[in-house]
C-alpha cells in the first residue's frame, strides 16, 4: 500500500509539474505585461468589428433564405404553381440532401481560396438560387433549385467555425460562436413579419416572388460588404498594427490554434471522422 501510494503521489506530482510547465510556457508566449494585454484587447476589438457583424448578418439571411419557401407557400405559391399532395414537403426536404454531404468538401475549397473569397462567393451563389425560386414554374424545377441551394449553403456554418479558429483562442471563440448561432433565432423571429411586408408589394409579379427576389438581393449586399471588410488570416490583416499582430500570433500559437501554413493529411482526416 505504501509503495502504491508513493507511486500515485509521484505520478500526480509529475502531472501537476507538467501542467505548471505548460501554463508557464503559454504565459511567456502571450505576455504578462500591461502593454501585451492592451495589444490583445485592441486586437480582439478590431477582429470583432471586422468579422462578427457581417458573418452574423449573413447567417441571419442564410436561415431566412433556406426557410422562405414556407412563407412563399403562405403567400400562395402552392396554389399558383399547382403543387399537390406531399410535393411541397419534398421541395423543403430536397435542400437537406445536399446540405448534409457538402459541408466537408466546402471547407476544402475554403482552405484553398481563403474565407474572404469563399464565404462571400457561396453566399452570392445561394442568393442567385433563391432568386431562381421566383422564376421556377414547376415541382421539378423547385426541387432542383433547392438541391443546389443546399450545396452552397452547406459551407457557411463550418466555414465560419474554421475562420474563427484562426483569429481566436478556443476560449475566445466560444462566446462568439454562441453569438453567431443566435442569429438563427433572430431570423426565426423576423422571417414571418418580413415576408408579410414583402408580399404586400403591388407589382407585376406574384406576391410570393417578391419574397424570394428581395431577400436574395439583401444577401448579395451583405456578401459584398463581407468581401470588403473580411480578411482570411491575421497574417494578412492590414487593419492590424505589427505589434497587435505579433502579440496575437503569440497568443494563438500558445493556444495551439490552426495556421494557414498547416497541411491536411489522410491521417488527420480519418482522426477527425
Amino acid at each position: 500500500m505504501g509503495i502504491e501510494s508513493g507511486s500515485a503521489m509521484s505520478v500526480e506530482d509529475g502531472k501537476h509539474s507538467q501542467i505548471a510547465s505548460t501554463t508557464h510556457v503559454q504565459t511567456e508566449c502571450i505576455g504578462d505585461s500591461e502593454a501585451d494585454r492592451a495589444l490583445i484587447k485592441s486586437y480582439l476589438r478590431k477582429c470583432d468589428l471586422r468579422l462578427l457583424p457581417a458573418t452574423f448578418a449573413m447567417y441571419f439571411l442564410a436561415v431566412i433564405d433556406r426557410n422562405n419557401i414556407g412563407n412563399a407557400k403562405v403567400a400562395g405559391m402552392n396554389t399558383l404553381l399547382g403543387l399537390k399532395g406531399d410535393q411541397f414537403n419534398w421541395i423543403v426536404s430536397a435542400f437537406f440532401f445536399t446540405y448534409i454531404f457538402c459541408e466537408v468538401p466546402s471547407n476544402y475549397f475554403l482552405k484553398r481560396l481563403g474565407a474572404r473569397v469563399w464565404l462571400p462567393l457561396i453566399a452570392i451563389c445561394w442568393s442567385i438560387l433563391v432568386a431562381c425560386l421566383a422564376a421556377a414554374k414547376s415541382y421539378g424545377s423547385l426541387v432542383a433549385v433547392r438541391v443546389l441551394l443546399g450545396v452552397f449553403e452547406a459551407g457557411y456554418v463550418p466555414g465560419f467555425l474554421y475562420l474563427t479558429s484562426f483569429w481566436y483562442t478556443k476560449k475566445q471563440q466560444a462566446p462568439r460562436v454562441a453569438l453567431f448561432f443566435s442569429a438563427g433565432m433572430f431570423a426565426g423571429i423576423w422571417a414571418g413579419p418580413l415576408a408579410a411586408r414583402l408580399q404586400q408589394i403591388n407589382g407585376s409579379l406574384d406576391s410570393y416572388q417578391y419574397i424570394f427576389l428581395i431577400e436574395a438581393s439583401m444577401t448579395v449586399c451583405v456578401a459584398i460588404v463581407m468581401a470588403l471588410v473580411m480578411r482570411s488570416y491575421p497574417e494578412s490583416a492590414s487593419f492590424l498594427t505589427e505589434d497587435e499582430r505579433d502579440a496575437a500570433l503569440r497568443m494563438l500559437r500558445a493556444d495551439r490554434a490552426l495556421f494557414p501554413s498547416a497541411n491536411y493529411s489522410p491521417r488527420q482526416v480519418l482522426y477527425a471522422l
Side-chain angles (χ1 to χ4, degrees), residues 1-272:
M1 286 293 291
I3 295 173
E4 290 178 358
S5 299
S7 300
M9 290 177 65
S10 298
V11 172
E12 194 67 26
D13 289 343
K15 289 181 180 178
H16 285 304
S17 298
Q18 186 177 9
I19 292 171
S21 176
T22 303
T23 304
H24 178 66
V25 170
Q26 289 183 350
T27 303
E28 283 186 346
C29 291
I30 298 173
D32 278 335
S33 68
E34 188 67 31
D36 282 338
R37 287 195 291 270
L39 288 171
I40 294 300
K41 185 176 181 181
S42 176
Y43 164 82
L44 291 174
R45 182 176 65 253
K46 289 182 178 181
C47 291
D48 289 343
L49 290 174
R50 286 277 182 163
L51 299 179
L52 297 186
T55 53
F56 181 95
M58 184 58 72
Y59 186 55
F60 175 91
L61 292 171
V63 174
I64 286 180
D65 287 341
R66 79 180 61 160
N67 295 328
N68 57 13
I69 192 77
N71 291 319
K73 177 185 178 182
V74 174
M77 180 188 72
N78 281 19
T79 302
L80 292 168
L81 299 185
L83 299 180
K84 300 176 182 178
D86 60 356
Q87 287 183 334
F88 177 78
N89 296 334
W90 280 108
I91 292 169
V92 173
S93 300
F95 169 86
F96 296 98
F97 298 156
T98 48
Y99 185 88
I100 293 171
F101 293 105
C102 291
E103 290 183 327
V104 173
S106 179
N107 264 20
Y108 169 79
F109 290 105
L110 183 145
K111 181 172 174 63
R112 300 281 293 183
L113 300 177
R116 185 187 182 187
V117 174
W118 182 245
L119 294 183
L121 178 62
I122 61 174
I124 290 173
C125 289
W126 89 58
S127 63
I128 291 172
L129 290 167
V130 171
C132 288
L133 290 172
K137 297 299 182 183
S138 66
Y139 166 68
S141 59
L142 286 170
V143 169
V145 173
R146 290 279 294 179
V147 167
L148 292 174
L149 183 63
V151 171
F152 291 103
E153 275 213 38
Y156 186 68
V157 171
F160 171 81
L161 299 177
Y162 183 85
L163 169 69
T164 53
S165 68
F166 287 101
W167 292 86
Y168 302 104
T169 65
K170 295 176 181 64
K171 184 176 181 180
Q172 294 163 355
Q173 188 183 18
R176 290 162 175 85
V177 170
L179 176 65
F180 172 81
F181 280 112
S182 72
M185 178 189 68
F186 287 110
I189 294 172
W190 289 101
L194 176 61
R197 296 293 296 176
L198 294 178
Q199 71 185 62
Q200 292 176 2
I201 297 174
N202 294 320
S204 58
L205 301 176
D206 294 319
S207 57
Y208 78 89
Q209 292 177 309
Y210 288 108
I211 296 174
F212 291 133
L213 292 174
I214 295 178
E215 290 179 353
S217 65
M218 292 165 60
T219 304
V220 171
C221 291
V222 174
I224 293 172
V225 172
M226 181 183 291
L228 294 174
V229 303
M230 182 183 290
R231 295 296 181 270
S232 298
Y233 307 111
E235 293 90 335
S236 60
S238 58
F239 59 86
L240 297 175
T241 66
E242 285 300 322
D243 289 339
E244 289 169 345
R245 183 180 291 106
D246 291 343
L249 293 178
R250 290 199 305 273
M251 173 187 68
L252 294 170
R253 289 191 186 102
D255 194 63
R256 300 179 183 178
L258 298 174
F259 281 85
S261 59
N263 294 317
Y264 287 134
S265 71
R267 185 176 180 180
Q268 287 175 308
V269 174
L270 290 174
Y271 181 77

